[in-house]
Amino acid sequence: MNCEILAFGSEMLTPYRQDTNSLYLTERMNALGVTIVAKAIVGDSRGIAASAVRNALARADIVLMTGGLGPTVDDITREAVADALGVELYRDSDILTGLYKRFAERRRPMPENNVRQADTIKGAVSLENPTGSAPGQWIDTVYEGHRKILILLPGVPHEMKAMFEQHCEPLLKEIVPPGAMATRMLRIAGLPESEVDARTAPIYTRFADVETTILAVTLEIQLHFRCIAATVKQAQQRVDELCGLIEDELGEAVFSSHGETLEQVVLFFLEMRGETVATAESCTGGLVAQRLTSVSGSSRSFFGGAVTYTNEMKTEFADVPAALIDEFGAVSREVAAALAEGIRERSGSTLGIGVTGIAGPTGGTSQKPVGLVLVALADGRETEVVERRFSGDRERVRYQASTLALDMVRRRLM
Amino acid sequence: MNCEILAFGSEMLTPYRQDTNSLYLTERMNALGVTIVAKAIVGDSRGIAASAVRNALARADIVLMTGGLGPTVDDITREAVADALGVELYRDSDILTGLYKRFAERRRPMPENNVRQADTIKGAVSLENPTGSAPGQWIDTVYEGHRKILILLPGVPHEMKAMFEQHCEPLLKEIVPPGAMATRMLRIAGLPESEVDARTAPIYTRFADVETTILAVTLEIQLHFRCIAATVKQAQQRVDELCGLIEDELGEAVFSSHGETLEQVVLFFLEMRGETVATAESCTGGLVAQRLTSVSGSSRSFFGGAVTYTNEMKTEFADVPAALIDEFGAVSREVAAALAEGIRERSGSTLGIGVTGIAGPTGGTSQKPVGLVLVALADGRETEVVERRFSGDRERVRYQASTLALDMVRRRLM
């Protein structure tokens, strides 16, 4: 079965706001074995909304709608769906009583507008909203000769999610054919997308029943797998079999096989190996430290670090000799290594990371162009320095540099 | 005039990817005076794509499409638009020559699939793609008795943006009626949304011709204003008049009146006043430093800082006496002040920022709950400490703490 998702609300037609409910709903519908064929976002014009519902009915078995169930005149979802189906709305007395009760419990008079929230599409089942005033609606009907399910949910994310899980999933499970889906994701660092594709395509193309999607997300490649089979177990088996073959092919470039982030994996390995780390960052300006400390519990393995933006700070906090900076320049293999070794000594951690480079957009030269980054990892015995030239704007260069630093720690500890 | 935006690509119907091109396009179209009436996202089914184009033609003057112009069989936008308009595709020999030339320049043979990128919709003008292989198309036609503009652009954001600005904006300016729009945004820090709304509503409701939108974005409130009038000058005048009254009401809480970020404003003030800053961060883990250094040129005013995650690092890098930590705890006004004073001394900057707190989700106590944050600002004469209790998850607490730190610097320098 397939589904179209509609989001109602003019604020999502501005440059400032996006429909994010559909990402959650797509994930849940996919897990039920339902494919999303299209998504649409419409404003508060009743005519356009009704035409969007009709278009969706023409191409999808299930039409899943969020938003536009509030009390104001801008909330036109109920009317638009009734228009599209060619049926009437009626004011449901039970819902109306519930609304009055809800406001009374809060010792507030109910604004007159709110009575509209009791308006129900003929043939619909009302879906209770445990945390808000807007009830949802569920319609199981025949439209132009085909069975169609229409679902109306509020746009407030936590209300929508609670109602989808409580009311809709049980009902959908009875309707959607029982073929079951399994998904999995592998995350890969340190290889370009083209190489990942070239090496894995000969494997995943042999699995016609598993849908494979490759996504590049700032120096991280994600491989998403999805399989629909007769049972969840069968589907999971196929996905796991393919994952295993791809992990064999890509080896240690695969940093996560069950969804963990690179930061989480690095901290897991640090703790498992009893190692600790500190950072001395120039061009990344604290980004490596900030990514590590974004994980709760990171204080067990991360001691801290220095953001050594000026040359003086490199000397003050990581004991980089001023003469070394004079001789090789702040952006050099030598200074990267000295930063890593110095911060390791000063912090008392077992590992030290040093990052220097030219994030841009200015400051580049022909010898040291924008995007040039040097990352060093010191462990007291040896210091590894990796040199890379990243493309993209300042933000991308910095993010890629921080990913390289984290990935060097991961590979060292594997 | 109005517009519908269509995004083609199955990856945007997964839980992992969203159409973000439409946010950029909405902003640019709004600036031209064009309203977006709907957006839709469709996969690589030619039939569904063609029906989406027909639906858009039924309700919008301009249909703006991104994606699906690549060389593979999944790229169906050209075919879908031709189907919707009921016209033929032809293989344009000039474009084909250009494609062969492009590959030859890169010393690579052109894959046979790429010839499809020369397929042109009858009546379309080809739009050159300066940085990619997919040309765009511009169609100015009559559909069911009405003039319609259809625009096909690639989905790669930087290609799409360059082509929209280079080719489409000049053409659209000739077509869109000259009634003109002015927009402006005020950004506010340190006040809750409810207070901003309560204080500004009596002002903005008097400007019926200016559309006002209030958005809360992690401890920053944005007020967006939009006015359509006979001339740009008139529209701008109304928006500016309203902005002026609101700036008077909110005073120094308004940190940006022309779109600058808080980081940019802080660095601007630092440079203007000849001041410099360094950071000593505990719970924010380098986020303040990272936000400051995200701005190009920040090295002129930002010396660097320390991420003092452990108590030992607080002593090592910011000279916080161990006895002080023992007496008051690492999360205390006293330690926040000592961090700010210590990092200022050590770095030689004129201002020092100290941040300590409990980001959560664990580590809170009844006396020092999760979300408690202390931020100190030292200038050598006095040290100001602000205590706040932030709500939200670890990421939100940290981000709000970093915003508070930056805003304290801004207010000090105003």
Side-chain angles (χ1 to χ4, degrees):
Chain A
M1 283 181 106
N2 63 32
C3 171
E4 175 158 344
I5 300 175
L6 301 178
F8 295 99
S10 297
E11 72 282 5
M12 289 175 293
L13 297 175
T14 68
Y16 321 118
R17 276 280 160 96
Q18 233 178 336
D19 155 48
T20 52
N21 285 339
S22 68
L23 297 180
Y24 162 84
L25 290 170
T26 299
E27 194 173 358
R28 306 298 292 207
M29 291 301 274
N30 284 175
L32 291 167
V34 177
T35 304
I36 307 302
V37 290
K39 300 199 283 188
I41 298 125
V42 291
D44 41 29
S45 148
R46 180 168 167 174
I48 290 178
S51 83
V53 175
R54 271 190 296 265
N55 297 336
L57 285 167
R59 59 198 176 200
D61 306 307
I62 302 167
V63 182
L64 187 44
M65 294 163 269
T66 59
L69 298 181
T72 76
V73 288
D74 292 347
D75 294 298
I76 45 70
T77 306
R78 290 172 291 256
E79 285 79 1
V81 174
D83 290 351
L85 293 175
V87 299
E88 301 288 309
L89 282 177
Y90 66 96
R91 195 149 288 171
D92 186 285
S93 56
D94 287 350
I95 300 175
L96 198 59
T97 310
L99 286 168
Y100 277 115
K101 219 175 120 197
R102 184 181 159 80
F103 278 88
E105 278 165 3
R106 285 165 178 69
R107 305 275 183 280
R108 287 166 48 204
M110 188 170 89
E112 198 171 339
N113 277 340
N114 279 72
V115 300
R116 292 188 61 234
Q117 295 191 299
D119 289 351
T120 306
I121 298 155
K122 199 159 168 266
V125 174
S126 178
L127 305 174
E128 200 199 336
N129 183 342
T131 54
S133 66
Q137 302 192 34
W138 169 282
I139 303 159
D140 187 345
T141 188
V142 174
Y143 180 83
E144 296 187 351
H146 299 279
R147 182 181 183 184
K148 301 283 173 182
I149 307 292
L150 298 92
I151 304 170
L152 289 75
L153 294 174
V156 180
H158 76 263
E159 296 179 17
M160 180 277 295
K161 289 178 188 177
M163 290 168 73
F164 185 78
E165 286 164 36
Q166 190 179 328
H167 304 305
C168 303
E169 278 184 339
L171 289 166
L172 286 168
K173 275 180 188 156
E174 286 176 20
I175 293 165
V176 177
M181 186 185 294
T183 63
R184 212 167 138 190
M185 166 172 57
L186 296 179
R187 303 170 84 154
I188 291 124
L191 291 180
E193 184 179 9
S194 54
E195 185 180 335
V196 172
D197 195 24
R199 286 169 62 181
T200 59
I203 304 168
Y204 69 70
T205 48
R206 297 204 317 262
F207 287 68
D209 55 337
V210 182
E211 190 186 301
T212 302
T213 309
I214 303 189
L215 296 178
V217 187
T218 334
L219 205 81
E220 170 184 328
I221 310 296
Q222 298 180 349
L223 283 166
H224 293 272
F225 306 99
R226 200 171 82 131
C227 178
I228 299 177
T231 66
V232 174
K233 202 180 154 195
Q234 273 178 24
Q236 195 64 55
Q237 230 163 18
R238 289 292 286 167
V239 165
D240 290 345
E241 191 187 340
L242 174 52
C243 274
L245 292 170
I246 287 179
E247 284 188 90
D248 288 347
E249 169 60 33
L250 298 178
E252 65 174 18
V254 178
F255 70 79
S256 165
S257 55
H258 288 93
E260 314 86 346
T261 64
L262 183 54
E263 295 85 334
Q264 287 171 328
V265 171
V266 167
L267 287 161
F268 171 79
F269 274 118
L270 285 167
E271 200 162 349
M272 199 172 69
R273 302 259 187 262
E275 304 267 357
T276 54
V277 70
T279 50
E281 305 179 60
S282 186
C283 68
T284 42
L287 185 55
V288 179
Q290 189 259 307
R291 286 181 64 180
L292 282 170
T293 58
S294 71
V295 180
S296 175
S298 47
S299 59
R300 287 193 295 271
S301 312
F302 176 68
F303 280 5
V307 181
T308 56
Y309 228 51
T310 60
N311 290 346
E312 293 71 27
M313 294 285 272
K314 292 181 179 65
T315 306
E316 173 75 19
F317 282 158
D319 301 315
V320 180
L324 193 79
I325 301 175
D326 285 345
E327 189 178 347
F328 297 102
V331 180
S332 61
R333 301 183 74 87
E334 291 75 10
V335 168
L339 283 168
E341 288 157 11
I343 198 70
R344 182 183 161 278
E345 286 282 333
R346 287 292 287 276
S347 68
S349 60
T350 62
L351 299 172
I353 295 171
V355 186
T356 182
I358 297 163
T362 58
T365 64
S366 60
Q367 238 116 69
K368 295 184 178 177
V370 167
L372 177 71
V373 170
L374 298 121
V375 179
L377 177 62
D379 65 7
R381 292 178 307 279
E382 55 164 349
T383 302
E384 175 193 5
V385 182
V386 173
E387 182 178 330
R388 285 283 170 80
R389 168 96 191 267
F390 293 119
S391 59
D393 60 12
R394 183 176 179 86
E395 192 187 339
R396 270 183 67 92
V397 169
R398 281 158 47 100
Y399 194 83
Q400 291 177 94
S402 70
T403 297
L404 171 60
L406 295 173
D407 197 44
M408 284 170 68
V409 177
R410 181 185 70 87
R411 286 170 186 258
R412 175 71 58 98
L413 298 175
M414 273 183 76
Chain B
M1 283 182 104
N2 62 33
C3 171
E4 175 158 344
I5 301 176
L6 301 179
F8 295 99
S10 299
E11 72 281 6
M12 289 175 293
L13 296 176
T14 67
Y16 322 117
R17 275 280 163 96
Q18 231 177 338
D19 154 50
T20 52
N21 285 338
S22 68
L23 296 180
Y24 163 84
L25 290 170
T26 299
E27 191 171 1
R28 306 298 291 208
M29 292 302 275
N30 283 175
L32 291 167
V34 177
T35 305
I36 307 302
V37 289
K39 302 199 283 188
I41 298 125
V42 290
D44 42 27
S45 148
R46 180 169 167 175
I48 291 179
S51 83
V53 175
R54 272 190 295 264
N55 297 336
L57 285 167
R59 58 199 177 198
D61 306 307
I62 303 167
V63 182
L64 188 43
M65 292 163 271
T66 60
L69 298 180
T72 76
V73 287
D74 292 346
D75 294 298
I76 44 72
T77 306
R78 291 171 290 257
E79 286 79 1
V81 175
D83 290 350
L85 293 174
V87 299
E88 300 288 309
L89 283 177
Y90 67 95
R91 195 150 287 172
D92 185 286
S93 56
D94 287 351
I95 300 174
L96 199 59
T97 311
L99 285 168
Y100 278 115
K101 219 174 121 197
R102 183 182 159 80
F103 278 87
E105 279 165 2
R106 285 166 178 69
R107 306 273 183 279
R108 286 166 46 203
M110 188 169 89
E112 198 171 338
N113 277 341
N114 279 72
V115 299
R116 295 188 59 234
Q117 296 192 297
D119 289 351
T120 306
I121 298 155
K122 199 160 169 265
V125 175
S126 178
L127 306 174
E128 199 199 337
N129 183 341
T131 54
S133 66
Q137 302 193 36
W138 169 283
I139 303 159
D140 187 344
T141 189
V142 174
Y143 180 84
E144 296 187 351
H146 300 278
R147 183 182 183 183
K148 301 284 173 180
I149 308 292
L150 297 93
I151 305 169
L152 289 74
L153 295 173
V156 180
H158 76 264
E159 297 179 16
M160 180 278 295
K161 289 178 188 178
M163 291 167 71
F164 185 79
E165 286 165 35
Q166 190 180 330
H167 304 304
C168 303
E169 278 183 340
L171 290 166
L172 286 168
K173 276 181 187 155
E174 286 176 20
I175 293 166
V176 177
M181 185 185 296
T183 62
R184 215 169 137 189
M185 166 172 56
L186 296 179
R187 303 170 84 152
I188 291 125
L191 292 180
E193 184 180 8
S194 54
E195 185 179 336
V196 172
D197 195 25
R199 287 169 61 182
T200 59
I203 306 168
Y204 68 71
T205 47
R206 298 202 317 261
F207 287 69
D209 54 337
V210 182
E211 190 186 300
T212 301
T213 309
I214 303 187
L215 295 178
V217 188
T218 335
L219 204 83
E220 172 184 325
I221 309 297
Q222 298 181 348
L223 283 165
H224 293 271
F225 307 99
R226 200 171 83 128
C227 178
I228 298 177
T231 67
V232 175
K233 203 178 153 195
Q234 274 179 23
Q236 195 64 55
Q237 229 163 19
R238 289 292 287 167
V239 165
D240 290 345
E241 191 187 340
L242 175 51
C243 276
L245 292 171
I246 286 179
E247 285 189 89
D248 288 347
E249 169 61 34
L250 297 179
E252 66 173 17
V254 178
F255 70 80
S256 164
S257 55
H258 288 92
E260 316 86 344
T261 64
L262 183 55
E263 295 85 335
Q264 288 171 327
V265 172
V266 167
L267 287 161
F268 172 79
F269 274 118
L270 285 167
E271 200 161 349
M272 198 172 70
R273 304 259 187 261
E275 305 266 358
T276 54
V277 72
T279 49
E281 305 180 59
S282 185
C283 68
T284 44
L287 184 56
V288 179
Q290 189 260 306
R291 287 181 63 179
L292 282 170
T293 58
S294 70
V295 181
S296 176
S298 47
S299 59
R300 288 194 294 273
S301 312
F302 176 69
F303 281 3
V307 181
T308 55
Y309 227 51
T310 60
N311 290 346
E312 293 70 29
M313 295 286 271
K314 292 180 180 66
T315 306
E316 174 74 20
F317 282 157
D319 301 317
V320 180
L324 193 79
I325 301 175
D326 285 345
E327 188 178 348
F328 298 102
V331 179
S332 61
R333 301 181 74 87
E334 291 75 10
V335 168
L339 283 167
E341 288 158 9
I343 198 70
R344 182 183 162 277
E345 287 282 333
R346 288 289 289 274
S347 67
S349 60
T350 62
L351 299 172
I353 295 171
V355 186
T356 182
I358 296 163
T362 58
T365 63
S366 60
Q367 238 116 69
K368 296 183 178 177
V370 167
L372 177 71
V373 170
L374 298 121
V375 179
L377 177 62
D379 66 6
R381 292 179 307 281
E382 55 164 347
T383 301
E384 175 192 5
V385 182
V386 173
E387 181 178 332
R388 283 284 170 80
R389 169 94 191 268
F390 293 119
S391 58
D393 61 12
R394 183 177 178 86
E395 191 187 338
R396 271 183 68 93
V397 168
R398 281 158 48 99
Y399 194 83
Q400 292 177 92
S402 70
T403 297
L404 171 60
L406 295 172
D407 197 45
M408 283 170 68
V409 177
R410 179 184 71 87
R411 287 172 187 256
R412 175 72 58 97
L413 298 174
M414 273 184 73

